[in-house]
């Protein structure tokens, strides 16, 4: 089983978020639905990871704080973007910008430089995502694009890339993945809770609303980020960000089969191009002494290799050398005839 399969499984669960949220009671604010899923799911991640405590230094605690704020910022920027500029534009802007932001952050922070394989695969996947989500928009009356909505969607992509990078860095430093995700999402749940209360929680008293909130909490937050945290132990963050573009294809497929939406030929073509980009990224590549899970060339690979130390025998003492010479001399003496 490929090491990136848990990342793909998490993306499949995330792809069901939009379909599940659309089943919420009529009139429920989209931000309230997303906030409820994060509050319940984040607290569940925190409570189930108490067995493995984090032992962080000051720098790692700062990273956790940044990651928690980034997790909290995602639903507060993505759902308002959907409300302002539409589902298609907001989704494609967020999903397509997330791997680009991730690659730029990895490069800017000095953790690596982009390889041609990652650039090509990410470019193909982003183009496929654009065609998939915007294909139906080109075929009919499109929703007016709101500049503020696009800016909010870009902020959502940056927030996703930020907490992805923070989680990957902490896991690479030896921290267990479950407590890392639990700490970040638990902090985000506390930050988002006042927003949820201000938007109203009456819809949670209905069976339908409670079912939607529990699904988002258990499957698209708790289980998805458990899988995602495990995948970050074996997959580079830049590769993980590109693999999560699978979410767009899953969302489109669920829209067709569950909601009854119809995709244009351009959208189907975009799904095929997106699949091609993911295949290019996950196929084994010929490596040059680089780890198999990294799509970026590490800084260490740019340094010249240190010359290997030649194996030398241990120095012998003068007494040992003298005994060795005597034994050789004796072995060279002719044996007298019998």
């Amino acid at each position: 089983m490929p090491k990136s399969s848990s990342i793909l499984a998490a993306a499949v669960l995330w792809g069901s978020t939009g379909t599940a949220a659309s089943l919420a009671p009529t009139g429920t604010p989209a931000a309230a639905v997303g906030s409820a899923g994060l509050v319940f799911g984040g607290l569940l991640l925190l409570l189930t990871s108490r067995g493995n405590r984090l032992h962080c230094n000051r720098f790692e605690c700062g990273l956790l704080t940044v990651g928690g704020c980034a997790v909290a910022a995602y639903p507060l920027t993505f759902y308002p973007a959907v409300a302002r500029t539409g589902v298609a534009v907001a989704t494609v802007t967020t999903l397509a910008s997330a791997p680009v932001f991730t690659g730029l952050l990895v490069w800017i922070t000095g953790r690596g430089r982009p390889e041609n394989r990652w650039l090509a695969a990410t470019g193909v996947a982003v183009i496929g995502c654009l065609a998939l989500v915007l294909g139906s928009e080109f075929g009919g009356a499109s929703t007016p694009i709101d500049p503020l909505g696009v800016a909010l969607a870009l902020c959502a992509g940056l927030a996703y890339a930020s907490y992805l990078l923070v989680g990957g860095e902490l896991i690479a430093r030896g921290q267990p993945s479950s407590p890392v995700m639990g700490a970040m999402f638990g902090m985000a749940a506390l930050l988002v809770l006042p927003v949820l209360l201000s938007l109203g929680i009456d819809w949670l008293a209905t069976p339908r609303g409670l079912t939607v909130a529990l699904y988002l909490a258990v499957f698209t937050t708790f289980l998805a980020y458990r899988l995602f945290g495990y995948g970050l132990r074996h997959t580079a963050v830049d590769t993980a960000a590109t693999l999560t573009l699978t979410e767009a294809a899953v969302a489109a497929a669920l829209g067709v089969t569950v909601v009854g939406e119809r995709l244009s030929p351009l959208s189907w073509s975009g799904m095929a191009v997106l699949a091609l980009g993911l295949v290019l990224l996950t196929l084994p590549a010929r490596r040059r002494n680089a780890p198999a899970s990294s799509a970026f060339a590490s800084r260490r690979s740019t340094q010249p290799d240190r010359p290997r130390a030649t194996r030398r025998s241990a120095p012998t003492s003068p007494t040992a050398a003298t005994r060795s010479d005597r034994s050789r001399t004796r072995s060279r003496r002719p044996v007298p005839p019998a």
Side-chain angles (χ1 to χ4, degrees), residues 122-193:
T122 301
V124 170
V126 168
I127 292 173
C129 187
L130 285 168
L132 167 63
V133 181
L134 296 180
S136 58
E137 297 295 314
F138 294 145
S142 60
T143 303
I145 297 179
D146 183 73
L148 181 57
V150 173
L152 288 171
L154 289 174
C155 290
L158 179 60
Y160 173 76
S162 299
Y163 71 76
L164 171 62
L165 188 61
V166 168
E169 176 65 21
L170 290 171
I171 293 172
R173 286 172 168 264
Q175 299 290 350
S177 59
S178 295
V180 167
M181 291 297 168
M184 288 198 303
F185 279 80
M187 183 185 306
L190 296 178
L191 293 174
V192 173
L193 181 58

Side-chain angles (χ1 to χ4, degrees), residues 173-242:
R173 286 172 168 264
Q175 299 290 350
S177 59
S178 295
V180 167
M181 291 297 168
M184 288 198 303
F185 279 80
M187 183 185 306
L190 296 178
L191 293 174
V192 173
L193 181 58
V195 178
L196 174 61
L197 296 177
S198 66
L199 293 173
I201 57 175
D202 296 340
W203 61 279
L204 290 173
T206 64
R208 189 173 185 178
L210 184 60
T211 301
V212 170
L214 290 178
Y215 177 85
L216 294 176
V218 174
F219 291 97
T220 66
T221 302
F222 172 73
L223 181 58
Y225 280 99
R226 273 279 188 264
L227 292 169
F228 191 67
Y230 174 78
L232 284 180
R233 294 164 52 187
H234 308 286
T235 309
V237 292
D238 46 5
T239 303
T242 304

Side-chain angles (χ1 to χ4, degrees), residues 15-30:
S16 65
T17 301
T19 302
S22 66
L23 300 177
T26 305
T28 304

Side-chain angles (χ1 to χ4, degrees), residues 288-289 299-308:
R288 302 184 305 269
N289 301 327
R299 261 189 318 183
R300 297 177 183 175
S301 64
T302 60
Q303 298 176 354
D305 295 335
R306 296 180 180 178
R308 296 183 178 179

Side-chain angles (χ1 to χ4, degrees), residues 2-313:
K3 294 180 179 179
S4 57
S5 58
S6 59
I7 302 289
L8 293 173
V12 169
L13 291 174
W14 291 330
S16 65
T17 301
T19 302
S22 66
L23 300 177
T26 305
T28 304
V33 177
S35 298
L38 176 56
V39 168
F40 297 143
L43 292 177
L44 188 60
L45 280 170
L46 178 63
L47 294 176
T48 55
S49 61
R50 293 180 61 186
N52 299 322
R53 295 186 177 181
L54 292 174
H55 300 280
C56 300
N57 54 33
R58 182 175 299 179
F59 176 73
E60 291 172 344
C61 288
L63 285 180
L64 278 176
T65 303
V66 173
C69 293
V71 172
Y74 181 82
L76 300 180
T77 52
F78 176 72
Y79 289 102
V82 171
R84 294 190 66 93
T85 194
V87 176
V89 175
T91 301
V92 73
T93 303
T94 301
L95 292 180
S97 64
V100 178
F101 279 130
T102 303
L104 290 176
L105 288 175
V106 170
W107 196 5
I108 291 172
T109 55
R111 296 186 60 197
R113 55 182 176 82
E115 286 185 351
N116 293 334
R117 176 170 171 262
W118 180 87
L119 290 173
T122 301
V124 170
V126 168
I127 292 173
C129 187
L130 285 168
L132 167 63
V133 181
L134 296 180
S136 58
E137 297 295 314
F138 294 145
S142 60
T143 303
I145 297 179
D146 183 73
L148 181 57
V150 173
L152 288 171
L154 289 174
C155 290
L158 179 60
Y160 173 76
S162 299
Y163 71 76
L164 171 62
L165 188 61
V166 168
E169 176 65 21
L170 290 171
I171 293 172
R173 286 172 168 264
Q175 299 290 350
S177 59
S178 295
V180 167
M181 291 297 168
M184 288 198 303
F185 279 80
M187 183 185 306
L190 296 178
L191 293 174
V192 173
L193 181 58
V195 178
L196 174 61
L197 296 177
S198 66
L199 293 173
I201 57 175
D202 296 340
W203 61 279
L204 290 173
T206 64
R208 189 173 185 178
L210 184 60
T211 301
V212 170
L214 290 178
Y215 177 85
L216 294 176
V218 174
F219 291 97
T220 66
T221 302
F222 172 73
L223 181 58
Y225 280 99
R226 273 279 188 264
L227 292 169
F228 191 67
Y230 174 78
L232 284 180
R233 294 164 52 187
H234 308 286
T235 309
V237 292
D238 46 5
T239 303
T242 304
L243 290 175
T244 54
L245 290 174
T246 310
E247 177 184 349
V250 175
L254 289 176
V256 172
T257 58
V258 178
V259 184
E261 297 177 349
R262 299 181 62 182
L263 295 181
S264 66
L266 180 60
S267 295
W268 287 112
S269 301
M271 189 179 296
V273 174
L274 173 59
L276 175 61
L278 297 178
V279 168
L280 291 176
L281 192 63
T282 55
L283 280 179
R286 292 174 295 180
R287 311 305 266 165
R288 302 184 305 269
N289 301 327
S293 63
S294 176
F296 268 51
S298 173
R299 261 189 318 183
R300 297 177 183 175
S301 64
T302 60
Q303 298 176 354
D305 295 335
R306 296 180 180 178
R308 296 183 178 179
T310 57
R311 188 175 181 181
R312 295 182 297 181
S313 58

